[in-house]
Amino acid sequence: EDQVTQSPEALRLQEGESSSLNCSYTVSGLRGLFWYRQDPGKGPEFLFTLYSAGEEKEKERLKATLTKKESFLHITAPKPEDSATYLCAVQESGGYQKVTFGTGTKLQVIP
Amino acid sequence: DSGVTQTPKHLITATGQRVTLRCSPRSGDLSVYWYQQSLDQGLQFLIQYYNGEERAKGNILERFSAQQFPDLHSELNLSSLELGDSALYFCASSGRTGLEETQYFGPGTRLLVL
């Protein structure tokens, strides 16, 4: 069974203090790994899709990387508006291409 | 605004009842996904449709069913409702931008079963 584990569950950073969020996964075959940002009571907002080990994607202060077993979301010099829950999901390849989400990392950036 | 619309925004009903949630995908997107998000279980993938056909299935209960119509809007039907079905239900749609499959989520329908 596909599994996605995100750590830490919660993270509190000072503004400007860079850090990384981790997403470990097990899947029989990976079609894609997704990162989302979710604000309370709202739908997840797409950030990145990664397809193969070694791939990296960047957007503003965020950078996502992928290995065969895990993905990292690096946040450089975060601002208070980066506070949100960050979700990771994997989609399996072949057959039913099921999507499995992690439970998320709740990030709080303090001014 | 993601371009994905969901109706209704809120729904309050009683146990044993049946409800229908509606989703209109972004213009041009052929895939529609349904997710359930509750406090104790996080975001759970239910089902995906692509151009009217079922493409992928998650842990969707037999009491739940979905379909995608020729105009690409989708409906999620929940029947014999139980208290534990109270949750946020999200719809997402995807299209192709180069090699990326970008999923855009709607604002959700908040279902409360009393």
Side-chain angles (χ1 to χ4, degrees), chain B residues 1-99:
Chain B
D1 185 357
S2 67
V4 178
T5 60
Q6 290 187 248
T7 56
K9 288 186 179 178
H10 303 276
L11 199 49
I12 301 175
T13 188
T15 55
Q17 295 298 304
R18 172 189 168 96
V19 297
T20 297
L21 312 183
R22 183 188 169 103
C23 168
S24 292
R26 287 189 332 143
S27 177
D29 285 354
L30 298 178
S31 280
V32 169
Y33 306 76
W34 285 99
Y35 296 87
Q36 178 192 57
Q37 188 173 42
S38 52
L39 284 175
D40 59 346
Q41 288 195 351
L43 198 63
Q44 299 287 318
F45 169 66
L46 296 178
I47 197 163
Q48 177 199 359
Y49 279 84
Y50 177 83
N51 202 21
E53 293 190 4
E54 184 182 301
R55 171 67 67 89
K57 209 169 188 177
N59 297 323
I60 187 168
L61 299 172
E62 285 191 10
R63 300 184 287 108
F64 296 1
S65 65
Q67 54 183 327
Q68 186 179 27
F69 294 87
D71 67 352
L72 300 178
H73 91 272
S74 178
E75 292 181 357
L76 179 66
N77 299 297
L78 315 177
S79 61
S80 303
L81 285 167
E82 302 175 359
L83 296 178
D85 297 327
S86 296
L88 266 170
Y89 290 83
F90 289 107
C91 164
S93 74
S94 70
R96 286 279 171 178
T97 306
L99 295 175

Side-chain angles (χ1 to χ4, degrees), chain A residues 8-27:
Chain A
E9 288 186 10
L11 182 61
R12 196 172 177 190
L13 299 174
Q14 290 292 131
E15 184 173 1
E17 179 186 1
S18 301
S19 188
S20 295
L21 313 182
N22 177 263
C23 172
S24 298
Y25 65 92
T26 55
V27 63

Side-chain angles (χ1 to χ4, degrees), chain A residues 14-98:
Chain A
Q14 290 292 131
E15 184 173 1
E17 179 186 1
S18 301
S19 188
S20 295
L21 313 182
N22 177 263
C23 172
S24 298
Y25 65 92
T26 55
V27 63
S28 54
L30 182 69
R31 181 165 187 258
L33 183 141
F34 307 92
W35 281 100
Y36 294 90
R37 169 199 168 118
Q38 187 175 26
D39 294 304
K42 295 191 174 181
E45 176 188 340
F46 172 81
L47 294 174
F48 305 107
T49 305
L50 301 168
Y51 291 99
S52 56
E55 191 175 357
E56 298 183 353
K57 294 272 179 75
E58 280 189 73
K59 180 180 178 181
E60 296 180 357
R61 296 178 292 281
L62 301 176
K63 179 179 177 180
T65 62
L66 181 65
T67 72
K68 287 187 178 179
K69 294 184 179 180
E70 58 191 350
S71 177
F72 291 94
L73 184 66
H74 307 278
I75 303 176
T76 302
K79 299 181 178 181
E81 53 262 41
D82 295 322
S83 298
T85 296
Y86 290 85
L87 299 169
C88 169
V90 296
Q91 186 171 29
E92 63 181 32
S93 60
Y96 272 131
Q97 296 171 339
K98 194 174 73 168

